[in-house]
PDB file of all heavy atoms in Angstrom:
ATOM      1  N   LEU A   1       3.281  14.646 -34.906  1.00 81.00           N
ATOM      2  CA  LEU A   1       1.974  14.953 -35.460  1.00 81.00           C
ATOM      3  C   LEU A   1       1.060  15.611 -34.437  1.00 81.00           C
ATOM      4  O   LEU A   1       0.250  16.477 -34.763  1.00 81.00           O
ATOM      5  CB  LEU A   1       1.315  13.670 -35.989  1.00 81.00           C
ATOM      6  CG  LEU A   1       1.880  13.126 -37.310  1.00 81.00           C
ATOM      7  CD1 LEU A   1       1.345  11.731 -37.583  1.00 81.00           C
ATOM      8  CD2 LEU A   1       1.537  14.051 -38.466  1.00 81.00           C
ATOM      9  N   GLN A   2       1.200  15.222 -33.169  1.00 78.00           N
ATOM     10  CA  GLN A   2       0.293  15.721 -32.144  1.00 78.00           C
ATOM     11  C   GLN A   2       0.858  16.904 -31.354  1.00 78.00           C
ATOM     12  O   GLN A   2       0.185  17.421 -30.473  1.00 78.00           O
ATOM     13  CB  GLN A   2      -0.029  14.582 -31.160  1.00 78.00           C
ATOM     14  CG  GLN A   2      -0.737  13.408 -31.823  1.00 78.00           C
ATOM     15  CD  GLN A   2      -0.991  12.276 -30.860  1.00 78.00           C
ATOM     16  OE1 GLN A   2      -1.819  12.387 -29.962  1.00 78.00           O
ATOM     17  NE2 GLN A   2      -0.278  11.172 -31.024  1.00 78.00           N
ATOM     18  N   SER A   3       2.070  17.300 -31.682  1.00 76.00           N
ATOM     19  CA  SER A   3       2.699  18.386 -30.924  1.00 76.00           C
ATOM     20  C   SER A   3       2.021  19.721 -31.197  1.00 76.00           C
ATOM     21  O   SER A   3       1.193  19.850 -32.092  1.00 76.00           O
ATOM     22  CB  SER A   3       4.188  18.477 -31.273  1.00 76.00           C
ATOM     23  OG  SER A   3       4.363  18.759 -32.636  1.00 76.00           O
ATOM     24  N   SER A   4       2.412  20.725 -30.441  1.00 69.00           N
ATOM     25  CA  SER A   4       1.863  22.067 -30.607  1.00 69.00           C
ATOM     26  C   SER A   4       2.266  22.607 -31.967  1.00 69.00           C
ATOM     27  O   SER A   4       3.109  22.029 -32.638  1.00 69.00           O
ATOM     28  CB  SER A   4       2.379  22.971 -29.497  1.00 69.00           C
ATOM     29  OG  SER A   4       3.793  23.004 -29.513  1.00 69.00           O
ATOM     30  N   PRO A   5       1.697  23.743 -32.407  1.00 62.00           N
ATOM     31  CA  PRO A   5       2.010  24.286 -33.722  1.00 62.00           C
ATOM     32  C   PRO A   5       3.497  24.351 -34.004  1.00 62.00           C
ATOM     33  O   PRO A   5       4.330  24.268 -33.121  1.00 62.00           O
ATOM     34  CB  PRO A   5       1.366  25.672 -33.682  1.00 62.00           C
ATOM     35  CG  PRO A   5       0.213  25.499 -32.766  1.00 62.00           C
ATOM     36  CD  PRO A   5       0.674  24.523 -31.715  1.00 62.00           C
ATOM     37  N   ALA A   6       3.800  24.541 -35.292  1.00 58.00           N
ATOM     38  CA  ALA A   6       5.144  24.296 -35.806  1.00 58.00           C
ATOM     39  C   ALA A   6       6.277  24.933 -35.014  1.00 58.00           C
ATOM     40  O   ALA A   6       7.383  24.430 -35.017  1.00 58.00           O
ATOM     41  CB  ALA A   6       5.208  24.783 -37.252  1.00 58.00           C
ATOM     42  N   GLY A   7       6.010  26.023 -34.324  1.00 58.00           N
ATOM     43  CA  GLY A   7       7.073  26.664 -33.561  1.00 58.00           C
ATOM     44  C   GLY A   7       7.689  25.760 -32.524  1.00 58.00           C
ATOM     45  O   GLY A   7       8.830  25.941 -32.116  1.00 58.00           O
ATOM     46  N   GLY A   8       6.903  24.763 -32.059  1.00 65.00           N
ATOM     47  CA  GLY A   8       7.409  23.860 -31.037  1.00 65.00           C
ATOM     48  C   GLY A   8       8.078  22.630 -31.585  1.00 65.00           C
ATOM     49  O   GLY A   8       8.527  21.772 -30.826  1.00 65.00           O
ATOM     50  N   VAL A   9       8.144  22.479 -32.913  1.00 72.00           N
ATOM     51  CA  VAL A   9       8.739  21.311 -33.532  1.00 72.00           C
ATOM     52  C   VAL A   9      10.223  21.528 -33.742  1.00 72.00           C
ATOM     53  O   VAL A   9      10.661  22.586 -34.193  1.00 72.00           O
ATOM     54  CB  VAL A   9       8.053  21.018 -34.889  1.00 72.00           C
ATOM     55  CG1 VAL A   9       8.799  19.929 -35.640  1.00 72.00           C
ATOM     56  CG2 VAL A   9       6.610  20.622 -34.672  1.00 72.00           C
ATOM     57  N   SER A  10      11.007  20.527 -33.392  1.00 86.00           N
ATOM     58  CA  SER A  10      12.442  20.597 -33.640  1.00 86.00           C
ATOM     59  C   SER A  10      12.694  20.171 -35.076  1.00 86.00           C
ATOM     60  O   SER A  10      12.681  18.984 -35.400  1.00 86.00           O
ATOM     61  CB  SER A  10      13.193  19.671 -32.669  1.00 86.00           C
ATOM     62  OG  SER A  10      14.572  19.701 -32.935  1.00 86.00           O
ATOM     63  N   ALA A  11      12.882  21.149 -35.966  1.00 93.00           N
ATOM     64  CA  ALA A  11      13.033  20.879 -37.389  1.00 93.00           C
ATOM     65  C   ALA A  11      14.509  20.838 -37.778  1.00 93.00           C
ATOM     66  O   ALA A  11      15.346  21.523 -37.179  1.00 93.00           O
ATOM     67  CB  ALA A  11      12.310  21.942 -38.208  1.00 93.00           C
ATOM     68  N   ASN A  12      14.800  20.066 -38.805  1.00 95.00           N
ATOM     69  CA  ASN A  12      16.165  20.038 -39.332  1.00 95.00           C
ATOM     70  C   ASN A  12      16.485  21.322 -40.089  1.00 95.00           C
ATOM     71  O   ASN A  12      17.587  21.849 -39.984  1.00 95.00           O
ATOM     72  CB  ASN A  12      16.342  18.838 -40.265  1.00 95.00           C
ATOM     73  CG  ASN A  12      16.211  17.512 -39.534  1.00 95.00           C
ATOM     74  OD1 ASN A  12      15.113  16.988 -39.399  1.00 95.00           O
ATOM     75  ND2 ASN A  12      17.321  16.985 -39.042  1.00 95.00           N
ATOM     76  N   VAL A  13      15.508  21.812 -40.859  1.00 97.00           N
ATOM     77  CA  VAL A  13      15.679  23.062 -41.598  1.00 97.00           C
ATOM     78  C   VAL A  13      14.356  23.811 -41.625  1.00 97.00           C
ATOM     79  O   VAL A  13      13.289  23.231 -41.384  1.00 97.00           O
ATOM     80  CB  VAL A  13      16.170  22.831 -43.045  1.00 97.00           C
ATOM     81  CG1 VAL A  13      17.572  22.242 -43.072  1.00 97.00           C
ATOM     82  CG2 VAL A  13      15.202  21.955 -43.812  1.00 97.00           C
ATOM     83  N   VAL A  14      14.442  25.105 -41.934  1.00 97.00           N
ATOM     84  CA  VAL A  14      13.258  25.968 -41.995  1.00 97.00           C
ATOM     85  C   VAL A  14      13.178  26.607 -43.378  1.00 97.00           C
ATOM     86  O   VAL A  14      14.186  27.080 -43.919  1.00 97.00           O
ATOM     87  CB  VAL A  14      13.315  27.062 -40.911  1.00 97.00           C
ATOM     88  CG1 VAL A  14      12.129  28.009 -41.050  1.00 97.00           C
ATOM     89  CG2 VAL A  14      13.342  26.431 -39.522  1.00 97.00           C
ATOM     90  N   VAL A  15      11.972  26.604 -43.936  1.00 98.00           N
ATOM     91  CA  VAL A  15      11.701  27.289 -45.201  1.00 98.00           C
ATOM     92  C   VAL A  15      10.889  28.535 -44.895  1.00 98.00           C
ATOM     93  O   VAL A  15       9.885  28.474 -44.189  1.00 98.00           O
ATOM     94  CB  VAL A  15      10.920  26.384 -46.172  1.00 98.00           C
ATOM     95  CG1 VAL A  15      10.569  27.142 -47.455  1.00 98.00           C
ATOM     96  CG2 VAL A  15      11.713  25.126 -46.498  1.00 98.00           C
ATOM     97  N   ALA A  16      11.336  29.671 -45.418  1.00 97.00           N
ATOM     98  CA  ALA A  16      10.608  30.936 -45.213  1.00 97.00           C
ATOM     99  C   ALA A  16      10.781  31.813 -46.445  1.00 97.00           C
ATOM    100  O   ALA A  16      11.911  32.037 -46.908  1.00 97.00           O
ATOM    101  CB  ALA A  16      11.121  31.660 -43.971  1.00 97.00           C
ATOM    102  N   LYS A  17       9.679  32.324 -46.973  1.00 95.00           N
ATOM    103  CA  LYS A  17       9.740  33.155 -48.176  1.00 95.00           C
ATOM    104  C   LYS A  17      10.510  34.454 -47.942  1.00 95.00           C
ATOM    105  O   LYS A  17      11.114  35.004 -48.868  1.00 95.00           O
ATOM    106  CB  LYS A  17       8.322  33.488 -48.657  1.00 95.00           C
ATOM    107  CG  LYS A  17       7.558  32.296 -49.211  1.00 95.00           C
ATOM    108  CD  LYS A  17       6.262  32.736 -49.852  1.00 95.00           C
ATOM    109  CE  LYS A  17       6.535  33.529 -51.131  1.00 95.00           C
ATOM    110  NZ  LYS A  17       5.294  33.865 -51.842  1.00 95.00           N
ATOM    111  N   ASP A  18      10.495  34.929 -46.706  1.00 95.00           N
ATOM    112  CA  ASP A  18      11.126  36.223 -46.423  1.00 95.00           C
ATOM    113  C   ASP A  18      12.624  36.107 -46.140  1.00 95.00           C
ATOM    114  O   ASP A  18      13.274  37.106 -45.783  1.00 95.00           O
ATOM    115  CB  ASP A  18      10.425  36.907 -45.252  1.00 95.00           C
ATOM    116  CG  ASP A  18      10.493  36.080 -43.962  1.00 95.00           C
ATOM    117  OD1 ASP A  18      11.183  35.039 -43.951  1.00 95.00           O
ATOM    118  OD2 ASP A  18       9.847  36.480 -42.974  1.00 95.00           O
ATOM    119  N   GLY A  19      13.171  34.923 -46.257  1.00 95.00           N
ATOM    120  CA  GLY A  19      14.614  34.762 -46.077  1.00 95.00           C
ATOM    121  C   GLY A  19      15.052  34.546 -44.649  1.00 95.00           C
ATOM    122  O   GLY A  19      16.252  34.466 -44.372  1.00 95.00           O
ATOM    123  N   THR A  20      14.111  34.374 -43.715  1.00 96.00           N
ATOM    124  CA  THR A  20      14.479  34.188 -42.311  1.00 96.00           C
ATOM    125  C   THR A  20      14.772  32.727 -41.970  1.00 96.00           C
ATOM    126  O   THR A  20      15.113  32.419 -40.833  1.00 96.00           O
ATOM    127  CB  THR A  20      13.358  34.702 -41.384  1.00 96.00           C
ATOM    128  OG1 THR A  20      12.134  34.027 -41.705  1.00 96.00           O
ATOM    129  CG2 THR A  20      13.172  36.204 -41.574  1.00 96.00           C
ATOM    130  N   GLY A  21      14.632  31.839 -42.943  1.00 95.00           N
ATOM    131  CA  GLY A  21      14.920  30.431 -42.716  1.00 95.00           C
ATOM    132  C   GLY A  21      16.179  30.000 -43.449  1.00 95.00           C
ATOM    133  O   GLY A  21      16.979  30.822 -43.910  1.00 95.00           O
ATOM    134  N   ASN A  22      16.335  28.695 -43.585  1.00 97.00           N
ATOM    135  CA  ASN A  22      17.477  28.149 -44.313  1.00 97.00           C
ATOM    136  C   ASN A  22      17.278  28.206 -45.823  1.00 97.00           C
ATOM    137  O   ASN A  22      18.250  28.297 -46.587  1.00 97.00           O
ATOM    138  CB  ASN A  22      17.718  26.695 -43.896  1.00 97.00           C
ATOM    139  CG  ASN A  22      17.896  26.536 -42.401  1.00 97.00           C
ATOM    140  OD1 ASN A  22      16.937  26.238 -41.694  1.00 97.00           O
ATOM    141  ND2 ASN A  22      19.112  26.766 -41.903  1.00 97.00           N
ATOM    142  N   TYR A  23      16.019  28.136 -46.246  1.00 98.00           N
ATOM    143  CA  TYR A  23      15.705  28.149 -47.673  1.00 98.00           C
ATOM    144  C   TYR A  23      14.458  28.992 -47.909  1.00 98.00           C
ATOM    145  O   TYR A  23      13.630  29.164 -47.016  1.00 98.00           O
ATOM    146  CB  TYR A  23      15.457  26.719 -48.182  1.00 98.00           C
ATOM    147  CG  TYR A  23      16.610  25.785 -47.940  1.00 98.00           C
ATOM    148  CD1 TYR A  23      16.624  24.938 -46.826  1.00 98.00           C
ATOM    149  CD2 TYR A  23      17.708  25.744 -48.798  1.00 98.00           C
ATOM    150  CE1 TYR A  23      17.683  24.087 -46.585  1.00 98.00           C
ATOM    151  CE2 TYR A  23      18.782  24.893 -48.563  1.00 98.00           C
ATOM    152  CZ  TYR A  23      18.763  24.070 -47.453  1.00 98.00           C
ATOM    153  OH  TYR A  23      19.827  23.230 -47.211  1.00 98.00           O
ATOM    154  N   ARG A  24      14.335  29.483 -49.150  1.00 98.00           N
ATOM    155  CA  ARG A  24      13.167  30.285 -49.507  1.00 98.00           C
ATOM    156  C   ARG A  24      12.062  29.469 -50.166  1.00 98.00           C
ATOM    157  O   ARG A  24      10.926  29.933 -50.246  1.00 98.00           O
ATOM    158  CB  ARG A  24      13.582  31.428 -50.451  1.00 98.00           C
ATOM    159  CG  ARG A  24      14.420  32.512 -49.770  1.00 98.00           C
ATOM    160  CD  ARG A  24      14.803  33.595 -50.764  1.00 98.00           C
ATOM    161  NE  ARG A  24      15.588  34.651 -50.149  1.00 98.00           N
ATOM    162  CZ  ARG A  24      15.072  35.747 -49.588  1.00 98.00           C
ATOM    163  NH1 ARG A  24      13.757  35.923 -49.597  1.00 98.00           N
ATOM    164  NH2 ARG A  24      15.860  36.651 -49.044  1.00 98.00           N
ATOM    165  N   THR A  25      12.386  28.273 -50.686  1.00 98.00           N
ATOM    166  CA  THR A  25      11.383  27.440 -51.339  1.00 98.00           C
ATOM    167  C   THR A  25      11.407  26.033 -50.759  1.00 98.00           C
ATOM    168  O   THR A  25      12.426  25.568 -50.240  1.00 98.00           O
ATOM    169  CB  THR A  25      11.618  27.338 -52.859  1.00 98.00           C
ATOM    170  OG1 THR A  25      12.811  26.589 -53.112  1.00 98.00           O
ATOM    171  CG2 THR A  25      11.732  28.721 -53.486  1.00 98.00           C
ATOM    172  N   VAL A  26      10.264  25.360 -50.878  1.00 98.00           N
ATOM    173  CA  VAL A  26      10.160  23.981 -50.403  1.00 98.00           C
ATOM    174  C   VAL A  26      11.051  23.072 -51.242  1.00 98.00           C
ATOM    175  O   VAL A  26      11.724  22.174 -50.720  1.00 98.00           O
ATOM    176  CB  VAL A  26       8.691  23.501 -50.467  1.00 98.00           C
ATOM    177  CG1 VAL A  26       8.584  22.051 -50.002  1.00 98.00           C
ATOM    178  CG2 VAL A  26       7.792  24.407 -49.631  1.00 98.00           C
ATOM    179  N   SER A  27      11.089  23.312 -52.536  1.00 98.00           N
ATOM    180  CA  SER A  27      11.892  22.477 -53.437  1.00 98.00           C
ATOM    181  C   SER A  27      13.368  22.507 -53.061  1.00 98.00           C
ATOM    182  O   SER A  27      14.051  21.469 -53.096  1.00 98.00           O
ATOM    183  CB  SER A  27      11.718  22.939 -54.889  1.00 98.00           C
ATOM    184  OG  SER A  27      10.383  22.786 -55.316  1.00 98.00           O
ATOM    185  N   GLU A  28      13.881  23.677 -52.688  1.00 98.00           N
ATOM    186  CA  GLU A  28      15.292  23.784 -52.296  1.00 98.00           C
ATOM    187  C   GLU A  28      15.573  22.969 -51.037  1.00 98.00           C
ATOM    188  O   GLU A  28      16.602  22.293 -50.942  1.00 98.00           O
ATOM    189  CB  GLU A  28      15.648  25.258 -52.050  1.00 98.00           C
ATOM    190  CG  GLU A  28      15.720  26.096 -53.302  1.00 98.00           C
ATOM    191  CD  GLU A  28      15.925  27.573 -53.000  1.00 98.00           C
ATOM    192  OE1 GLU A  28      15.475  28.026 -51.922  1.00 98.00           O
ATOM    193  OE2 GLU A  28      16.528  28.263 -53.832  1.00 98.00           O
ATOM    194  N   ALA A  29      14.661  23.023 -50.088  1.00 98.00           N
ATOM    195  CA  ALA A  29      14.844  22.276 -48.843  1.00 98.00           C
ATOM    196  C   ALA A  29      14.802  20.770 -49.097  1.00 98.00           C
ATOM    197  O   ALA A  29      15.596  20.016 -48.529  1.00 98.00           O
ATOM    198  CB  ALA A  29      13.775  22.680 -47.829  1.00 98.00           C
ATOM    199  N   VAL A  30      13.893  20.328 -49.946  1.00 98.00           N
ATOM    200  CA  VAL A  30      13.804  18.902 -50.271  1.00 98.00           C
ATOM    201  C   VAL A  30      15.053  18.449 -51.011  1.00 98.00           C
ATOM    202  O   VAL A  30      15.601  17.374 -50.739  1.00 98.00           O
ATOM    203  CB  VAL A  30      12.539  18.625 -51.113  1.00 98.00           C
ATOM    204  CG1 VAL A  30      12.550  17.196 -51.651  1.00 98.00           C
ATOM    205  CG2 VAL A  30      11.278  18.879 -50.286  1.00 98.00           C
ATOM    206  N   LYS A  31      15.534  19.261 -51.930  1.00 97.00           N
ATOM    207  CA  LYS A  31      16.733  18.907 -52.689  1.00 97.00           C
ATOM    208  C   LYS A  31      17.941  18.744 -51.780  1.00 97.00           C
ATOM    209  O   LYS A  31      18.807  17.887 -52.002  1.00 97.00           O
ATOM    210  CB  LYS A  31      17.014  19.988 -53.739  1.00 97.00           C
ATOM    211  CG  LYS A  31      18.190  19.670 -54.652  1.00 97.00           C
ATOM    212  CD  LYS A  31      18.373  20.761 -55.701  1.00 97.00           C
ATOM    213  CE  LYS A  31      19.571  20.446 -56.603  1.00 97.00           C
ATOM    214  NZ  LYS A  31      19.763  21.526 -57.638  1.00 97.00           N
ATOM    215  N   ALA A  32      18.023  19.545 -50.725  1.00 97.00           N
ATOM    216  CA  ALA A  32      19.169  19.500 -49.808  1.00 97.00           C
ATOM    217  C   ALA A  32      19.049  18.396 -48.756  1.00 97.00           C
ATOM    218  O   ALA A  32      20.020  18.105 -48.058  1.00 97.00           O
ATOM    219  CB  ALA A  32      19.321  20.852 -49.110  1.00 97.00           C
ATOM    220  N   ALA A  33      17.881  17.775 -48.639  1.00 97.00           N
ATOM    221  CA  ALA A  33      17.678  16.724 -47.635  1.00 97.00           C
ATOM    222  C   ALA A  33      18.497  15.482 -47.991  1.00 97.00           C
ATOM    223  O   ALA A  33      18.844  15.269 -49.155  1.00 97.00           O
ATOM    224  CB  ALA A  33      16.196  16.374 -47.549  1.00 97.00           C
ATOM    225  N   PRO A  34      18.822  14.654 -47.013  1.00 95.00           N
ATOM    226  CA  PRO A  34      19.581  13.430 -47.288  1.00 95.00           C
ATOM    227  C   PRO A  34      18.838  12.540 -48.281  1.00 95.00           C
ATOM    228  O   PRO A  34      17.614  12.394 -48.201  1.00 95.00           O
ATOM    229  CB  PRO A  34      19.680  12.753 -45.921  1.00 95.00           C
ATOM    230  CG  PRO A  34      19.420  13.824 -44.923  1.00 95.00           C
ATOM    231  CD  PRO A  34      18.500  14.795 -45.571  1.00 95.00           C
ATOM    232  N   SER A  35      19.566  11.949 -49.203  1.00 89.00           N
ATOM    233  CA  SER A  35      18.941  11.068 -50.193  1.00 89.00           C
ATOM    234  C   SER A  35      18.412   9.796 -49.545  1.00 89.00           C
ATOM    235  O   SER A  35      17.358   9.279 -49.911  1.00 89.00           O
ATOM    236  CB  SER A  35      19.948  10.718 -51.294  1.00 89.00           C
ATOM    237  OG  SER A  35      20.320  11.880 -52.007  1.00 89.00           O
ATOM    238  N   TYR A  36      19.166   9.280 -48.572  1.00 84.00           N
ATOM    239  CA  TYR A  36      18.751   8.065 -47.867  1.00 84.00           C
ATOM    240  C   TYR A  36      18.939   8.293 -46.372  1.00 84.00           C
ATOM    241  O   TYR A  36      20.020   8.635 -45.924  1.00 84.00           O
ATOM    242  CB  TYR A  36      19.568   6.858 -48.320  1.00 84.00           C
ATOM    243  CG  TYR A  36      19.464   6.583 -49.800  1.00 84.00           C
ATOM    244  CD1 TYR A  36      20.435   7.037 -50.678  1.00 84.00           C
ATOM    245  CD2 TYR A  36      18.378   5.882 -50.319  1.00 84.00           C
ATOM    246  CE1 TYR A  36      20.329   6.803 -52.041  1.00 84.00           C
ATOM    247  CE2 TYR A  36      18.265   5.636 -51.671  1.00 84.00           C
ATOM    248  CZ  TYR A  36      19.250   6.099 -52.535  1.00 84.00           C
ATOM    249  OH  TYR A  36      19.139   5.871 -53.876  1.00 84.00           O
TER     250      TYR A  36
END
């Protein structure tokens, strides 16, 4: 929460509308996340 802007966060996946991430929509990324 206190880290520098998102570029410095170690994320499991990236959402980007332009296709430069793992998914184009937030819903797709949430659906692919572990259930538990």
Side-chain angles (χ1 to χ4, degrees):
L1 285 169
Q2 298 177 70
S3 61
S4 58
V9 172
S10 178
N12 295 88
V13 294
V14 176
V15 176
K17 291 189 69 175
D18 61 6
T20 57
N22 305 95
Y23 303 97
R24 290 179 179 270
T25 68
V26 179
S27 297
E28 289 174 331
V30 171
K31 184 178 179 180
S35 296
Y36 301 97

